[in-house]
Amino acid sequence: VEVSNYPGTTVDVPRARLGDWLILDTPGVYGISSFNEEERVTRDVVLEADAVLNVVDALHLERSLFLTLQLIDMGIPVIVALNLVDEAAARGIEIDAGRLAELLGVPVVATVAVKGQGLAELKASLGRARPGRADPELDAALARRGVSGRERRRALLALEEGGAAEAGGAGDDLAARRRRRAEDIARAVTRRAPRARQGTSFLSRLLLQPLTGLPALGLTLVGLYYLVGVFIAQTVVSFTEKTVMEGHYEPLVRGLVGLAVPPGSALHEVLVGEFGVLTMAVTYAIGLLLPLVAGFYLAISLLEDSGYLPRLAVLADRVLTAMGLNGRAVIPLILGFGCVTMATLTTRVLGSRRERLIATALLALGVPCSAQLGVIVALLAPLGPEYAAAYAASITLVLVAAGTLLDRLLPGRSTSLFLDLPPLRWPHPRNILKKTWARTAHFVREAFPLFALGSLAVALLKLSGVLGWVQEALRPVTVDWLGLPAEAARAFVMGLLRRDFGAAGLYALDLSPLQAVTALVTITLFVPCLASLLMIFKERGRGEALLIWAGTFASAFLLGGVVRRVLQALGL
């Protein structure tokens, strides 16, 4: 399961087999209730579980034990994985795992998950999970009700959420009593030694303050630009696309196909022609987009595992509140630069249906995925910083305006930001490489069939003459309104399947700097790719999904023309 150093990574329930066990990985929570979507999903799994493996944070034991004690109070067999014991020791925190097991009444295994330490013992201990030492007052209250077995789980949640007095007070009193128990246990098992090294709290504070945090963000973006826009887009892609694919692969494939299929025939055109399934689709997917996608996924994985994203959420909270969101929304928005489809799924971490709708609409409208952004950076990099700034400013203004408009139109208000700030960490190289590999492989599996299908569709449209008709039909929009070559219509046709495929279609055109910025703004605001659209239908329902699709389609062409005229007026 993919994990990162920030909350909200797991928003669904992955499953796997381990011997006779069926393992379900729930979202990470600090309590089981109906406070948010993550807690509701976890609650539904826990209510039916035979046993719970509770992973607690050795760095913040007191906070983690609230959930442990709630599980024990529910009467569920529990085993505790005391994780991050290495980081705790580095900060002078020593925890007596044996004493902790005695006070909780359940097995406790010390682990360092990223290094595999303790995992073999943990697997061997799964069968020893057992109910622990529950709150005696709660035991008495449930006994008076005649509650036992699995019924105890729902009865406890009913007491906590309904505030029944017979449990020794209202639901809040149960929680307060549990917090005191967690404090007492943590105090009894923890010894603080002189710190072996200083933590990263000073750097964390710098990243949270606008005066220092904004320059740090600027440096981060500059670093990403030089990694992806300069090194990968101009050096690596030049080699993979021009030298490898166009210089060696395409001539070889054309020669082999020419031996079996007569040149000039319809089949020859479909396979290795201008929009060939074996030439253009493969060159775009492997030679152009694959290096860019891998570079972006590498960068995003570094930001995730360092713990920087939650600090960016705090920094962006005030701006996002004006758009009907809060700082937590920065996580799906940033993840959208990797994959809009998966980022749409992570909008579940937001606190209200209203916020999830606004975030989904912004993702669909103006957040380019890694492959699309890679092409955008590759096209903008040779033009100079003023054109890159013009593109970035245009998209930012559109997103701010759209968010502000949705905030005004939709009833309700944004929720407050409550966010766990994990420690800053040096990213673990193995984790970074595994995530980059997995995400890049997923891109190839998902994108290549759609690229092949798109190439086939455009080739057939060209052979049938429909493509020429579409170019002429769209001429008032592409040529007169957007100021682009008539051939740009092909890119928008290709973009109906995937926006990155459409952006790659622009890569092949000879565009002036003004035309490049106009075209890139338009394709960025264009309809979400097919996979993202299906995810939006799943998450938001048919009505809202269709409104989002139609809104992005109209906004792309309308605002693309507006940007062109504004840039012309500015003399660009």
Side-chain angles (χ1 to χ4, degrees):
V1 176
E2 183 178 299
V3 294
S4 299
N5 187 24
Y6 65 91
T9 307
T10 307
V11 292
D12 53 358
V13 184
R15 300 164 182 240
R17 285 280 179 185
L18 180 64
D20 295 333
W21 293 94
L22 172 63
I23 309 293
L24 294 88
D25 181 43
T26 68
V29 295
Y30 289 107
I32 298 173
S33 65
S34 301
F35 179 72
N36 55 37
E37 180 68 18
E38 294 161 289
E39 290 193 359
R40 285 189 287 271
V41 170
T42 301
R43 178 200 61 194
D44 292 342
V45 173
V46 164
L47 286 174
E48 302 299 328
D50 296 310
V52 171
L53 168 58
N54 177 215
V55 184
V56 304
D57 181 356
L59 281 169
H60 306 96
L61 183 62
E62 177 185 313
R63 182 174 60 189
S64 297
L65 286 180
F66 182 89
L67 173 60
T68 308
L69 292 174
Q70 188 178 28
L71 295 168
I72 290 173
D73 286 343
M74 294 170 75
I76 302 173
V78 172
I79 182 171
V80 170
L82 181 64
N83 199 36
L84 298 172
V85 291
D86 58 334
E87 292 195 14
R91 288 167 173 78
I93 301 172
E94 297 179 7
I95 297 174
D96 186 340
R99 178 61 174 156
L100 180 60
E102 180 183 339
L103 293 175
L104 293 175
V106 301
V108 175
V109 179
T111 61
V112 181
V114 295
K115 298 177 182 177
Q117 295 178 12
L119 297 190
E121 183 184 351
L122 189 64
K123 292 176 183 179
S125 301
L126 289 179
R128 297 194 291 110
R130 60 179 182 267
R133 302 180 186 276
D135 182 339
E137 294 182 46
L138 182 63
D139 272 343
L142 294 175
R144 287 194 297 271
R145 284 189 160 198
V147 174
S148 62
R150 287 181 179 259
E151 295 178 7
R152 179 186 176 108
R153 306 179 187 186
R154 297 184 184 277
L156 174 63
L157 293 181
L159 287 175
E160 294 193 4
E161 297 179 5
E166 61 179 300
D172 286 344
D173 293 332
L174 286 172
R177 206 159 62 226
R178 187 176 296 134
R179 285 192 204 96
R180 288 194 296 271
R181 290 165 59 206
E183 292 170 4
D184 292 341
I185 293 174
R187 192 180 303 115
V189 302
T190 302
R191 185 174 73 86
R192 294 184 178 273
R195 289 193 174 191
R197 63 178 172 86
Q198 293 295 318
T200 53
S201 57
F202 177 70
L203 178 58
S204 179
R205 287 195 297 272
L206 291 180
L207 294 176
L208 294 173
Q209 300 299 323
L211 187 63
T212 50
L214 291 176
L217 174 60
L219 290 175
T220 302
L221 295 177
V222 169
L224 292 178
Y225 170 79
Y226 276 100
L227 170 65
V228 180
V230 177
F231 174 66
I232 295 179
Q234 297 184 32
T235 304
V236 177
V237 168
S238 177
F239 174 74
T240 56
E241 185 193 21
K242 302 297 182 183
T243 304
V244 176
M245 303 306 293
E246 293 182 0
H248 295 88
Y249 169 77
E250 288 192 12
L252 175 64
V253 170
R254 287 193 178 96
L256 293 175
V257 171
L259 296 176
V261 180
S265 65
L267 182 57
H268 189 275
E269 180 68 22
V270 167
L271 293 177
V272 295
E274 182 183 2
F275 303 104
V277 173
L278 299 179
T279 49
M280 186 188 77
V282 178
T283 296
Y284 278 3
I286 306 300
L288 174 61
L289 294 178
L290 183 60
L292 296 168
V293 167
F296 268 109
Y297 281 146
L298 176 65
I300 289 175
S301 297
L302 288 169
L303 292 178
E304 287 177 349
D305 280 39
S306 67
Y308 180 63
L309 285 187
R311 286 155 180 83
L312 185 57
V314 175
L315 197 63
D317 182 57
R318 183 171 296 180
V319 173
L320 291 174
T321 299
M323 300 164 60
L325 300 167
N326 64 40
R328 196 176 179 96
V330 84
I331 292 175
L333 292 177
I334 291 292
L335 293 183
F337 290 103
C339 176
V340 172
T341 306
M342 296 311 298
T344 301
L345 182 64
T346 63
T347 58
R348 295 179 184 178
V349 305
L350 303 182
S352 67
R353 179 179 178 275
R354 178 180 186 269
E355 290 170 322
R356 291 191 287 273
L357 174 57
I358 293 174
T360 301
L362 295 181
L363 283 167
L365 175 63
V367 177
C369 68
S370 57
Q372 186 185 11
L373 190 57
V375 178
I376 291 168
V377 171
L379 281 167
L380 288 175
L383 303 183
E386 66 273 22
Y387 291 101
Y391 167 82
S394 300
I395 297 301
T396 301
L397 286 174
V398 168
L399 288 175
V400 171
T404 304
L405 180 63
L406 289 171
D407 182 38
R408 301 290 186 272
L409 294 177
L410 295 175
R413 56 182 299 179
S414 60
T415 58
S416 299
L417 176 64
F418 294 96
L419 187 65
D420 175 32
L421 281 181
L424 292 173
R425 295 190 178 102
W426 283 108
H428 196 280
R430 187 177 65 175
N431 197 33
I432 296 298
L433 293 176
K434 287 178 70 173
K435 286 204 296 185
T436 302
W437 171 263
R439 290 169 168 177
T440 305
H442 174 76
F443 164 78
V444 172
R445 289 193 301 269
E446 180 192 67
F448 189 78
L450 289 176
F451 275 29
L453 179 61
S455 297
L456 176 62
V458 176
L460 292 176
L461 290 175
K462 180 185 178 182
L463 288 171
S464 64
V466 174
L467 187 59
W469 178 85
V470 169
Q471 287 185 194
E472 289 303 312
L474 290 179
R475 179 177 287 273
V477 176
T478 54
V479 178
D480 301 335
W481 175 246
L482 296 176
L484 302 176
E487 292 79 10
R490 302 176 182 179
F492 296 117
V493 172
M494 294 156 66
L496 289 172
L497 278 177
R498 286 184 63 96
R499 279 195 296 193
D500 51 347
F501 196 27
L506 296 174
Y507 192 78
L509 299 178
D510 184 17
L511 301 175
S512 69
L514 175 61
Q515 288 177 322
V517 175
T518 302
L520 292 176
V521 168
T522 306
I523 202 68
T524 301
L525 302 177
F526 201 52
V527 294
C529 71
L530 186 59
S532 298
L533 182 61
L534 293 175
M535 181 62 73
I536 294 172
F537 267 93
K538 176 184 175 183
E539 294 294 309
R540 303 264 45 92
R542 181 170 56 184
E544 292 179 358
L546 289 175
L547 282 174
I548 290 172
W549 190 92
T552 55
F553 188 88
S555 299
F557 293 112
L558 173 63
L559 297 173
V562 171
V563 166
R564 172 204 174 196
R565 284 155 176 78
V566 170
L567 295 182
Q568 281 180 323
L570 294 174
L572 290 178

